[in-house]
Amino acid sequence: MTDSYLMRNLRAVRGRAYPRLIGSTREPSWFVFDVILPLFTIAGYAYVYKFLDARAELIGYVVLGGAMTAFWLNILWSMASQLYWEKEIGNLPLYLMAPISRMSILAGMAVGGLFETTIQAAMTLAIGAIAFNVVFSLASPVMLLVVFVVTMIALYGMGMMFASLYLLLGREAYHLSALMMEPVYFASGFYFPVRHLGFWAAAGASVIPITLGLDALRQIIFPEGIAEDAFLPLNTEIALLSGLCVVFMVLSRYALRYMEYLGKTTGRLTLRWQ
Amino acid sequence: MAVMNDLKVFKDSAWLGWQMEANWTDPFLFLTYSIVKPIAGTLILVLMYMVVTGGETGNAFFSYMYVGNAMYMFVAEVLFGVTWVIHDDREHYMTLKQVYIAPMNFYMYIMGRSAIKIAITSFGVLVTLIFGVMALGVDIDLAAVDWPLLAASLVLGLACICILGLALGGVSFLTAKHSIGINEGLAGVFYVLSGVVFPITILPTWAQSVSRILPVTYWMEAIRRAIEPGAMRELADTSGFDVTGMGGISDLTMMLYLLVSVGAFFVMSIGVFRVADYIARKKGKVDWTTAY
């Protein structure tokens, strides 16, 4: 019984990830829209630093931060908003009726989105690095991988939690996603070291996993900037990110249950265009 | 009669756009939402500047950058607004086919929906500029503003962007859920190549040639000359050379260039929209959904 339940859920993960994986190959236009065009925004910020004759690593931060925006956008528009979308297009009742854990659906969305977005971000990073002569230090590839994985688990855990909360918000979900773009780019220091916001502001922004993740990645990839730009010691950031992984996974499970309970009792689970 | 019908479509779709933009929340929250987003976008640039300069904001280049970034909101938001109409009606509300077959001018419908975006963006731009003057010492003196130049460049520049948005709206018929990427990407092209936050003279020579073709380059320069003539003079004096790369072009020439661009973009946009519309109908893409 346990095995079959496990297998069912693994199949659910695969099944929900599949359209995202296959979708990207069926719509090759994403390469232009999601990889090439965002490079212009990165170039804009990089040229500002160039014009100001800034330190070389600041341009590197912009390229890395610009690549990482793909993950944040994926969280907002393809994770957080997704259950709301599913409700709007009529899939949500099917998910709720299926003999699987709802977490499997969210995990499938995360796996598919993460795969698609990692390719996108890697390409943006590579092209941006070539265009602006950014030199990455790959002295600690294992540490780099650890930080990336921990950041992504925490970030997608947050996305899973948001997915449930957004469902309760109705149309406000869209506006919330739109509102969480520039303010989060600012608070999380996508284009400048978050340390320069001041300790308490940066500490507050660290609730968003990408804040600490970006800072940690920068410390590994651009070690020459640690003294001037690092917010917290690398090991502390990894520990905090690990904590955020657990917190968001647990919260997402509770949020999902609460959303389902509230949706059923108020009859809003299948109510569209509210 | 047809004109009256078109105006009615414009008015009604603008009202619809306002309801969709604003009726999800109370006015106070909507006001906050309309302010926080643009201010945060601007603060990214301010912090980048401060990280390098150590906080010195009272100079001509900071004003140049700040005003350019504030006015760029029009480019980003208007392009976003126009293409989002197609995406939102098709994928979210699934009403695009009903709107499409309704006996009305579809262009006017899109323009009406976008008009409200321009109004909301204008508020954001105004708040950002006031914030810049009050909190960061951006050099804007209302008595020195060249109001006729500002009005003319605003009208022509916005017309240009709206018309370009129409072409992108047509392209949105054919693309999956990438509408956001299209307009953000194209807005990004203008951001880099039109001297929005840095003078085009920092760009490679080939890119400067492209910059001199783009109407947004002239728009940004005209707006700056109108809003902050003092800062523009100071920038030219401290640099010792034509740092903006536009110093030899008169205000009138810039206005004429913008006028010609509006005409050229209009013809191009209608052409692109019609071709995209034809392909979308042929391939059955008018009412598809791609929210995978």
Side-chain angles (χ1 to χ4, degrees):
Chain A
M1 180 67 187
T2 309
D3 277 349
S4 90
Y5 183 72
L6 178 69
M7 287 310 292
R8 266 205 309 273
N9 279 289
L10 287 176
R11 278 200 299 274
V13 172
R14 190 186 63 182
R16 189 59 193 88
Y18 178 78
R20 295 197 165 183
L21 302 180
I22 210 72
S24 56
T25 58
R26 285 189 183 161
E27 277 296 331
S29 57
W30 70 269
F31 179 76
V32 176
F33 300 127
D34 293 342
V35 175
I36 301 297
L37 292 181
L39 283 169
F40 285 98
T41 307
I42 295 173
Y45 287 132
Y47 272 116
V48 169
Y49 276 138
K50 266 193 155 184
F51 187 77
L52 292 170
D53 203 17
R55 289 178 280 132
E57 59 267 23
L58 287 172
I59 296 175
Y61 294 171
V62 164
V63 173
L64 180 63
M68 295 296 279
T69 57
F71 291 105
W72 183 244
L73 288 175
N74 189 253
I75 291 296
L76 289 182
W77 297 104
S78 297
M79 282 297 295
S81 311
Q82 191 66 31
L83 284 184
Y84 173 68
W85 265 118
E86 304 282 10
K87 183 172 77 164
E88 296 292 297
I89 60 178
N91 284 342
L92 188 64
L94 302 177
Y95 293 156
L96 295 177
M97 282 189 290
I100 47 167
S101 163
R102 322 293 180 241
M103 290 292 279
S104 305
I105 298 293
L106 291 173
M109 281 171 10
V111 169
L114 186 59
F115 178 79
E116 185 186 22
T117 312
T118 303
I119 294 173
Q120 182 186 324
M123 290 171 108
T124 305
L125 194 64
I127 299 171
I130 292 167
F132 290 98
N133 293 321
V134 176
V135 180
F136 299 121
S137 162
L138 293 174
S140 322
V142 177
M143 194 59 107
L144 186 69
L145 191 67
V146 167
V147 169
F148 180 77
V149 170
V150 176
T151 304
M152 288 304 125
I153 292 173
L155 191 62
Y156 278 81
M158 185 188 214
M160 288 161 77
M161 183 186 76
F162 277 171
S164 302
L165 298 178
Y166 269 41
L167 200 53
L168 301 174
L169 294 174
R171 278 196 299 139
E172 290 171 45
Y174 273 99
H175 300 280
L176 195 61
S177 275
L179 188 62
M180 287 206 291
M181 288 169 66
E182 284 84 356
V184 170
Y185 293 163
F186 169 67
S188 294
F190 274 75
Y191 299 106
F192 57 85
V194 73
R195 173 183 175 169
H196 294 270
L197 281 177
F199 180 81
W200 291 110
S206 298
V207 175
I208 305 164
I210 210 153
T211 307
L212 292 175
L214 252 177
D215 197 68
L217 287 173
R218 282 171 179 159
Q219 289 188 45
I220 296 167
I221 297 175
F222 304 103
E224 63 276 15
I226 291 177
E228 227 170 321
D229 301 325
F231 172 47
L232 296 171
L234 184 58
N235 288 337
T236 309
E237 291 187 336
I238 293 173
L240 288 172
L241 281 168
S242 306
L244 287 176
C245 289
V246 178
V247 168
F248 284 125
M249 283 298 170
V250 171
L251 285 179
S252 66
R253 189 172 168 76
Y254 277 108
L256 199 53
R257 279 186 184 171
Y258 180 68
M259 171 278 296
E260 192 175 342
Y261 168 77
L262 206 64
K264 280 177 179 172
T265 51
T266 57
R268 288 166 62 190
L269 272 182
T270 54
L271 188 64
R272 297 160 73 184
W273 300 311
Q274 54 174 314
Chain B
M1 187 64 185
V3 174
M4 290 307 290
N5 277 344
D6 285 352
L7 288 175
K8 189 173 183 314
V9 169
F10 182 86
K11 189 189 80 177
D12 290 345
S13 57
W15 176 84
L16 176 66
W18 171 248
Q19 294 301 317
M20 293 167 80
E21 288 283 341
N23 80 353
W24 54 277
T25 185
D26 63 79
F28 177 74
L29 191 61
F30 184 71
L31 199 68
T32 310
Y33 167 82
S34 305
I35 292 173
V36 167
K37 199 173 149 65
I39 292 285
T42 303
L43 284 178
I44 293 173
L45 212 57
V46 172
L47 252 290
M48 285 172 64
Y49 184 87
M50 287 179 162
V51 167
V52 180
T53 64
E56 172 56 47
T57 57
N59 61 49
F61 177 66
F62 182 77
S63 295
Y64 174 97
M65 185 183 78
Y66 192 93
V67 169
N69 194 60
M71 300 312 290
Y72 171 77
M73 279 180 214
F74 279 121
V75 181
E77 292 296 320
V78 173
L79 283 180
F80 179 84
V82 179
T83 50
W84 186 252
V85 172
I86 302 291
H87 181 84
D88 207 22
D89 281 12
R90 186 185 71 189
E91 306 261 346
H92 183 203
Y93 294 105
M94 298 176 195
T95 52
L96 187 63
K97 61 183 172 187
Q98 283 85 355
V99 172
Y100 190 84
I101 59 174
M104 64 176 183
N105 187 332
F106 193 63
Y107 299 127
M108 293 309 283
Y109 171 74
I110 294 176
M111 286 301 155
R113 287 279 301 274
S114 315
I116 211 65
K117 200 81 184 169
I118 295 177
I120 294 168
T121 305
S122 301
F123 176 70
V125 171
L126 200 62
V127 167
T128 306
L129 289 176
I130 292 170
F131 175 78
V133 173
M134 308 277 279
L136 300 167
V138 172
D139 181 13
I140 299 176
D141 176 6
L142 287 182
V145 170
D146 185 342
W147 296 103
L149 179 63
L150 179 63
S153 53
L154 266 181
V155 169
L156 289 174
L158 285 176
C160 217
I161 294 298
C162 282
I163 290 166
L164 185 62
L166 195 63
L168 290 184
V171 174
S172 297
F173 272 132
L174 306 176
T175 55
K177 54 175 183 178
H178 306 302
S179 302
I180 302 171
I182 298 175
N183 52 53
E184 283 200 347
L186 195 76
V189 172
F190 290 132
Y191 195 68
V192 177
L193 296 176
S194 293
V196 174
V197 287
F198 52 83
I200 58 170
T201 48
I202 187 85
L203 293 168
T205 314
W206 64 266
Q208 288 183 42
S209 306
V210 179
S211 301
R212 289 175 204 284
I213 298 170
L214 298 175
V216 177
T217 310
Y218 295 86
W219 186 32
M220 286 292 151
E221 178 71 13
I223 292 251
R224 282 196 185 101
R225 285 186 192 181
I227 291 183
E228 46 173 3
M232 293 299 278
R233 267 194 305 274
E234 189 189 328
L235 190 67
D237 291 345
T238 51
S239 308
F241 71 105
D242 181 16
V243 68
T244 63
M246 310 287 286
I249 304 170
S250 71
D251 296 350
L252 186 65
T253 309
M254 280 195 290
M255 290 301 101
L256 281 174
Y257 190 87
L258 281 175
L259 191 63
V260 170
S261 300
V262 169
F265 273 29
F266 183 75
V267 173
M268 183 201 76
S269 289
I270 296 291
V272 169
F273 194 94
R274 285 190 177 165
V275 169
D277 176 45
Y278 172 77
I279 297 171
R281 281 198 285 176
K282 197 172 176 185
K283 292 189 172 180
K285 289 188 168 184
V286 172
D287 62 343
W288 71 336
T289 55
T290 56
Y292 50 78

